[in-house]
Amino acid sequence: MSDDERAVRSAQLLQAARQLFQVSQELPSVAAIAQAAGVAKGSVYLFFGSKEEIFIALLEDSFASLLAVIIPGVHGLTADPRAAAEDFSLLYAYALANVPELLPLAAMANSVLEKNLPVAKMLAFKERLASGLEAAAAALSAGQLGLHRMQAIDLLLRTWSLTLGLWQALDFPQELRPHLKVSPLDVFDRDFFVEVSDSVRVMWIGTLTG
Amino acid sequence: MSDDERAVRSAQLLQAARQLFQVSQELPSVAAIAQAAGVAKGSVYLFFGSKEEIFIALLEDSFASLLAVIIPGVHGLTADPRAAAEDFSLLYAYALANVPELLPLAAMANSVLEKNLPVAKMLAFKERLASGLEAAAAALSAGQLGLHRMQAIDLLLRTWSLTLGLWQALDFPQELRPHLKVSPLDVFDRDFFVEVSDSVRVMWIGTLTG
Amino acid sequence: MSDDERAVRSAQLLQAARQLFQVSQELPSVAAIAQAAGVAKGSVYLFFGSKEEIFIALLEDSFASLLAVIIPGVHGLTADPRAAAEDFSLLYAYALANVPELLPLAAMANSVLEKNLPVAKMLAFKERLASGLEAAAAALSAGQLGLHRMQAIDLLLRTWSLTLGLWQALDFPQELRPHLKVSPLDVFDRDFFVEVSDSVRVMWIGTLTG
Amino acid sequence: MSDDERAVRSAQLLQAARQLFQVSQELPSVAAIAQAAGVAKGSVYLFFGSKEEIFIALLEDSFASLLAVIIPGVHGLTADPRAAAEDFSLLYAYALANVPELLPLAAMANSVLEKNLPVAKMLAFKERLASGLEAAAAALSAGQLGLHRMQAIDLLLRTWSLTLGLWQALDFPQELRPHLKVSPLDVFDRDFFVEVSDSVRVMWIGTLTG
DNA sequence: AATGAATGAGTGTTCATTCAT
DNA sequence: AATGAATGAACACTCATTCAT
C-alpha cells in the first residue's frame, strides 16, 4: 500500500472518528469508528496502533488546521499593537470555530488520551505540537511587531492556554444551557468565541504594549 | 446520623480520595477510597451518590481552599495596577501550590467528572463555582483598584482559565520529563508556578492599564 | 465471607469447570463456567485471579484426589517386589480412572495453563505438586519395600511421567477412534488403563528387582 | 510448481517455524513465520492448509529425525540386555538433544496442534507416526535382543511416552529455574537428558530381563 | 504463483453500583 | 448505619484466513 493510499485511508478513519466525537463528545468505541468508516474493526489497527492513537492523530490534525490559518495570519499582522491584537483575536476565534472538535479533544489530552500511549508515540506527539508552536512563533516574530522568538513563543503558548481553559470554563452540556440565563450561572453565559476574542485581544495588548 | 457526623465522614472520604489522587494522578477506584478511609465499599454510597460526585466534591473543596486565600488577597490589593498585578500573581501562584490536586482534577472535570452526573448535581456544582467566582469578584471590586463587578468577574474568569490551560500545556508525565531538556520540547520546559505567575501578572497589567 | 464458605464456592466453580472441560476437552470460557455454576461472570474473579488459575486449581485438586488414593496404597504394599508392582499398578490405574480430567488437564499444563500465570502462583503450584510427590514418596519408602526416599521419588516421578506420556500417545479424538482398528493405527489401539497398568508394573518390577 | 520446488519451499517455511519456536517456546504467528521465511503471509497457505498443519509437519519432521538416529541404533544393539539398555539409553538421549524442538512440540500436540485439524490430516499424521514406530520396532526386533514385533512396539511406545512425560514434568520456565535449588522444588532439579537416560535404561532392563 | 490488505469472530477482565443482611 | 458479596455491562485487540489483483 502506497504512502498516499495509507494517508487517504487514515484520513477517512479520522474523519469518521471526528464526526462521532463531535456528536457524542465522548471517545467513540473502535467498533463504532470502524463501522462509521465502513471498514472492519481489525482494519482500524492497520492504520493506528491503538484507540488512543486515533484521537491523538485527530487532535494533531485539528491543531494543524488551526495553525494553517494562524501562521499566515500572524505573519501579516501590522506593526500597530492594538490593531494587531484586534486582527489576531478575530482571526483566531474564526479559526477555532472551524475546528470545533479541537478544544474538546485537547481538553481530554492529559487525562484520557495520554493514558495507554507508548512513551515514544507520546514524545513524538508532543514534539510535533512543540514544532507547530515554534513555527507559529517564527511567523509571528518574522512579522512587523518586533517580537523576539521567545516572546512570540510565550505569547502563543499563553494564548492557547487561555483558550483551552476558557473552553473548559464555559463549556456546558446541553441540558444545563437553559439554566445559564439564571443567576448565578449567568456569569458563564457568554459566547465562547466572543470571550476568546476579547480575552485574547486584552492579553495581546497587555503583552505588546506592556 | 446528624449532619455534623455526615460532614465529618464525608470529609474523611474526601481526604482519602485526595491523597490517593495526588499519588496516582488518576481517579482511584471506589474500593481504594473506601479502604483508605477505613470503611466498606458500600458505605461510600451513603455519602456520595456516585464516584464522580466524590471528585466533584473534592474539586469544589479544593477550589474553595484556593478562594479562601485569594479572596482576602484581592481585597487588600493596592491601587497601583502594576503593584497589584505583581502582588496578586505571586499570591495566586502560592495559593495554587497549596492545593496541588486542584488543577489535575479541574482538568478532568469536563471530560471525565461530568459524565454520569445527574443534571441537578451538576447544576448545583456549577452554581457554587459561579458563586465562588462572584464572591472573589466582589472582594476584588471592593478593593482599591476601582474595578466594576463585571470587570472583576471577567478578570478572574480569565485568570483561572489561563491557569487551567497552562497547567494542561505544561504538565508532562514523569517519563517524558527527561526529554524536556531537548529541542523542540524545551519550549515547554518551564516551572509551572513561575509561568503562571508571569502570565497572570501580564494579563492583569494589560487589563488594569489597558 | 468465611474461609469455609469461600472453599465451598470455589469448589462449586471448580466442579462447573470440571464438567465443562470433561465434555469439551477444551478450556471453557469464563462466561461458560460462571453460567454453569449459576453465578455472574464477575463473581468468578472473587475466587480466582484469572482463568488459568481456575484450571491450575482444578489440576491440583484432581492430582490431590489421585494422591489420596495412592498414598495409603503405597504405604501398604507388600515386601514382595512382583506382588507390590502388581498391586500398585492395578490400584494406580483404578485411581486414574476416577479422575478422568486429570490427564487431559495435566497435558495442557506446560503449553496452555502456565501462560499468563504470575510467577508466584506458578511457583506455589509447582511446590504443592512437589510436596504431594514427596508425601507419596514418604509413604512408599515407609512401606516394606525398603526403598530410600530418593528411590521412591524417582520411581513415582517416572511412573507419573510414563502415565502422562502414555495418555498423550494413546488419546485419540472421537472421530479417529474408528480408524484405530486398521493398520497401521492399530498399534495405538489399546485400552489406556490396561496399558498404564502393564507398563507401570513392568517399570516397577524393573526398578525393584533391578 | 514442481513437487521438488514445493518440497523445498515447504522445508524453508518449516525451518523458519522451527527457529522461531525454538526461541520463543510458543507457536509463532503465521505472519512471523512468513516474514522469517521471506515470503508473504498468504503464500504460507499455498503450502500448508492451516497454521496447525505447519507445526504438525514440523513435529513429524523432528520425529523423523529422531527415528533416523534411533533406527540404525536399535538395529545394532548387542544381545546382552544390560549392555543394550545402556547403549540405547545413551544414544537415545543424545538423539533427543539434537532435536530440541521435538518434545515441546509433542507436548502441545494433543491440546493445541490437533485442534482445528481436519480429520483426514490428523489421520494421516497419526498413521505416519504409527509407521515410524513400526519401522523402529522392526529394526529393534530384527536385532539380537530377540524381541517380537509386539514387544518391540510396546517397549518403544513406552519409551517415548516416558520421555514425553518426563519432559513435561521437568520443564520449567526460565523464571522458575532459580527456585529449583530450594526444597521442595529440588526434587525436580534434574538434568533432563540424564534423567531420560537413566529412566529409559531402567525400563529397558526391566523389560528385557523381566 | 504470489501478494498483503481486509476481515471479524472471539473473550478475559474491571469496577461502579446494589441490596440483602 | 454499615457491610461486602454479587452483579454484568462494556470493549480493545489479535491473528488465522481469504481472495482480488
Side-chain angles (χ1 to χ4, degrees):
Chain A
M1 183 178 269
S2 74
D3 280 7
D4 275 6
E5 267 187 9
R6 284 192 70 82
V8 169
R9 306 294 302 279
S10 295
Q12 288 170 341
L13 286 168
L14 286 188
Q15 186 53 19
R18 192 191 319 264
Q19 282 171 351
L20 290 168
F21 179 73
Q22 283 178 2
V23 170
S24 72
Q25 294 281 65
E26 297 184 5
L27 293 195
S29 72
V30 173
I33 297 170
Q35 189 177 37
V39 299
K41 217 186 333 175
S43 303
V44 173
Y45 291 87
L46 298 173
F47 301 94
F48 297 97
S50 70
K51 181 181 171 171
E52 281 77 15
E53 287 185 30
I54 300 172
F55 291 97
I56 287 291
L58 183 53
L59 176 53
E60 269 198 65
D61 190 63
S62 302
F63 196 69
S65 297
L66 180 71
L67 287 179
V69 176
I70 295 310
I71 289 180
V74 294
H75 192 261
L77 290 176
T78 88
D80 173 34
R82 293 186 177 268
E86 177 75 19
D87 292 351
F88 175 78
S89 68
L90 289 174
L91 172 69
Y92 182 61
Y94 169 79
L96 284 171
N98 276 325
V99 276
E101 76 281 6
L102 175 58
L103 288 165
L105 215 39
M108 304 182 97
N110 292 52
S111 48
V112 179
L113 299 186
E114 295 178 2
K115 309 288 161 206
N116 211 17
L117 204 58
V119 173
K121 295 275 178 182
M122 198 153 144
L123 190 59
F125 163 63
K126 295 280 191 182
E127 285 178 352
R128 283 192 295 267
L129 285 191
S131 299
L133 177 61
E134 291 256 26
L140 178 54
S141 62
Q144 303 175 41
L145 284 167
L147 290 171
H148 299 318
R149 174 179 164 276
M150 269 309 288
Q151 291 173 316
I153 286 178
D154 279 6
L155 181 55
L156 291 174
L157 182 59
R158 291 167 185 185
T159 298
W160 169 251
S161 297
L162 178 57
T163 309
L164 182 56
L166 275 174
W167 183 82
Q168 283 167 276
L170 299 182
D171 175 58
F172 280 75
Q174 205 57 47
E175 319 95 75
L176 249 60
R177 296 281 168 80
H179 300 277
L180 282 177
K181 297 299 174 194
V182 190
S183 174
L185 280 192
D186 57 349
V187 302
F188 295 131
D189 188 23
R190 303 152 185 251
D191 180 81
F192 170 70
F193 296 106
V194 171
E195 177 65 19
V196 160
S197 205
D198 282 358
S199 56
V200 165
R201 193 186 61 247
V202 169
M203 174 182 265
W204 278 51
I205 291 174
T207 303
L208 299 177
T209 65
Chain B
M1 182 178 271
S2 75
D3 278 8
D4 274 8
E5 264 186 14
R6 285 191 69 83
V8 169
R9 307 290 298 277
S10 295
Q12 288 171 343
L13 286 167
L14 286 189
Q15 185 53 18
R18 191 193 317 266
Q19 281 172 351
L20 291 168
F21 180 72
Q22 283 179 0
V23 170
S24 72
Q25 294 283 58
E26 298 186 1
L27 292 194
S29 70
V30 172
I33 297 170
Q35 189 177 40
V39 298
K41 220 186 327 176
S43 304
V44 172
Y45 289 86
L46 300 172
F47 302 92
F48 297 97
S50 72
K51 181 180 171 170
E52 282 78 14
E53 287 185 29
I54 301 172
F55 291 97
I56 287 291
L58 183 54
L59 177 52
E60 268 197 64
D61 191 64
S62 301
F63 196 69
S65 297
L66 181 71
L67 288 180
V69 176
I70 295 308
I71 289 180
V74 293
H75 192 262
L77 290 176
T78 89
D80 173 34
R82 295 187 175 268
E86 176 76 20
D87 291 350
F88 176 78
S89 68
L90 290 174
L91 173 69
Y92 182 61
Y94 170 80
L96 284 171
N98 276 325
V99 277
E101 76 281 6
L102 175 57
L103 287 165
L105 214 39
M108 304 181 100
N110 292 53
S111 49
V112 178
L113 300 187
E114 294 179 2
K115 311 285 162 205
N116 205 20
L117 206 57
V119 174
K121 296 274 179 181
M122 197 151 143
L123 190 59
F125 163 62
K126 293 281 192 181
E127 284 178 353
R128 282 192 295 268
L129 284 191
S131 300
L133 178 61
E134 291 258 27
L140 178 55
S141 62
Q144 304 175 39
L145 284 166
L147 291 172
H148 299 319
R149 174 179 164 276
M150 269 311 287
Q151 290 174 316
I153 286 178
D154 279 8
L155 181 55
L156 291 174
L157 182 59
R158 291 167 185 184
T159 297
W160 169 251
S161 297
L162 178 57
T163 309
L164 181 56
L166 276 174
W167 185 83
Q168 281 167 277
L170 299 182
D171 176 58
F172 280 75
Q174 205 58 47
E175 319 95 72
L176 250 59
R177 297 280 169 80
H179 301 277
L180 282 177
K181 298 298 174 194
V182 190
S183 175
L185 280 192
D186 57 349
V187 301
F188 295 131
D189 188 23
R190 302 153 186 249
D191 179 83
F192 171 69
F193 296 106
V194 171
E195 178 65 19
V196 161
S197 204
D198 282 359
S199 56
V200 165
R201 195 187 59 247
V202 169
M203 173 180 266
W204 278 51
I205 292 173
T207 303
L208 299 176
T209 66
Chain C
M1 185 178 267
S2 74
D3 279 7
D4 275 7
E5 266 187 12
R6 284 192 71 84
V8 169
R9 305 292 302 280
S10 295
Q12 288 170 343
L13 286 167
L14 286 188
Q15 185 54 19
R18 192 192 318 263
Q19 281 171 352
L20 291 168
F21 179 72
Q22 283 178 1
V23 170
S24 73
Q25 295 283 63
E26 297 186 4
L27 293 195
S29 70
V30 173
I33 297 170
Q35 189 176 38
V39 298
K41 218 183 335 173
S43 302
V44 173
Y45 289 87
L46 298 173
F47 301 93
F48 297 97
S50 71
K51 181 180 170 171
E52 282 77 15
E53 287 186 30
I54 300 173
F55 291 97
I56 288 291
L58 183 54
L59 176 52
E60 268 198 66
D61 191 65
S62 302
F63 196 69
S65 297
L66 180 71
L67 287 180
V69 177
I70 295 308
I71 288 179
V74 294
H75 192 262
L77 291 175
T78 88
D80 173 36
R82 294 186 177 268
E86 176 76 20
D87 292 350
F88 176 78
S89 68
L90 291 174
L91 172 70
Y92 182 61
Y94 169 79
L96 284 171
N98 276 324
V99 277
E101 76 280 6
L102 174 58
L103 288 165
L105 215 39
M108 305 182 97
N110 293 52
S111 48
V112 179
L113 299 187
E114 295 179 1
K115 310 286 161 209
N116 209 15
L117 205 58
V119 174
K121 295 274 179 183
M122 197 153 143
L123 189 59
F125 164 62
K126 294 281 192 181
E127 284 178 352
R128 283 192 295 267
L129 284 191
S131 299
L133 177 62
E134 291 257 26
L140 177 56
S141 62
Q144 303 175 41
L145 284 167
L147 289 173
H148 298 320
R149 174 179 164 275
M150 269 310 289
Q151 291 174 316
I153 286 178
D154 279 8
L155 181 54
L156 291 174
L157 181 60
R158 291 168 185 184
T159 298
W160 169 251
S161 297
L162 178 57
T163 309
L164 182 56
L166 275 174
W167 183 82
Q168 282 167 276
L170 299 181
D171 176 59
F172 280 75
Q174 205 58 48
E175 319 95 72
L176 249 60
R177 297 281 168 80
H179 302 276
L180 282 178
K181 299 297 175 194
V182 190
S183 176
L185 279 192
D186 58 348
V187 302
F188 295 133
D189 187 24
R190 300 153 187 250
D191 179 84
F192 171 69
F193 296 105
V194 172
E195 178 64 20
V196 161
S197 204
D198 282 357
S199 57
V200 165
R201 194 186 61 245
V202 169
M203 174 182 264
W204 277 52
I205 292 174
T207 304
L208 299 176
T209 65
Chain D
M1 180 178 272
S2 75
D3 278 7
D4 274 8
E5 265 188 12
R6 286 191 67 84
V8 169
R9 308 291 299 278
S10 295
Q12 287 171 342
L13 285 167
L14 285 188
Q15 186 53 19
R18 192 193 316 265
Q19 281 172 351
L20 290 168
F21 179 73
Q22 283 178 2
V23 170
S24 73
Q25 294 282 60
E26 297 185 4
L27 292 195
S29 71
V30 172
I33 297 170
Q35 187 178 39
V39 300
K41 220 185 331 176
S43 304
V44 173
Y45 290 86
L46 300 172
F47 301 94
F48 297 96
S50 71
K51 180 181 172 172
E52 282 77 15
E53 287 185 28
I54 300 172
F55 291 97
I56 287 291
L58 183 54
L59 176 53
E60 268 197 65
D61 190 65
S62 300
F63 196 70
S65 297
L66 180 71
L67 288 179
V69 177
I70 295 309
I71 288 179
V74 295
H75 193 261
L77 291 174
T78 88
D80 173 34
R82 294 186 175 269
E86 176 76 20
D87 292 351
F88 174 78
S89 68
L90 291 175
L91 172 71
Y92 181 61
Y94 170 80
L96 284 170
N98 276 325
V99 276
E101 75 281 5
L102 174 58
L103 287 166
L105 215 39
M108 304 181 99
N110 292 55
S111 49
V112 179
L113 300 186
E114 295 179 1
K115 311 286 162 205
N116 207 19
L117 205 58
V119 173
K121 296 275 179 180
M122 196 151 145
L123 191 59
F125 163 63
K126 294 281 191 181
E127 284 177 353
R128 282 192 296 268
L129 284 191
S131 301
L133 178 62
E134 291 257 27
L140 178 55
S141 61
Q144 304 174 41
L145 282 167
L147 290 172
H148 300 319
R149 174 178 165 276
M150 268 310 288
Q151 291 174 315
I153 285 178
D154 279 7
L155 182 55
L156 291 174
L157 181 60
R158 291 167 186 186
T159 298
W160 168 250
S161 297
L162 178 57
T163 309
L164 181 55
L166 275 174
W167 184 83
Q168 282 167 277
L170 299 182
D171 176 57
F172 281 75
Q174 205 57 49
E175 319 95 73
L176 249 60
R177 296 281 169 80
H179 301 277
L180 282 178
K181 298 298 175 194
V182 190
S183 175
L185 280 192
D186 56 350
V187 302
F188 296 132
D189 187 23
R190 301 152 186 251
D191 179 83
F192 171 70
F193 295 105
V194 171
E195 179 64 20
V196 160
S197 203
D198 282 358
S199 56
V200 165
R201 194 186 60 247
V202 169
M203 174 183 264
W204 279 51
I205 291 175
T207 304
L208 299 177
T209 67

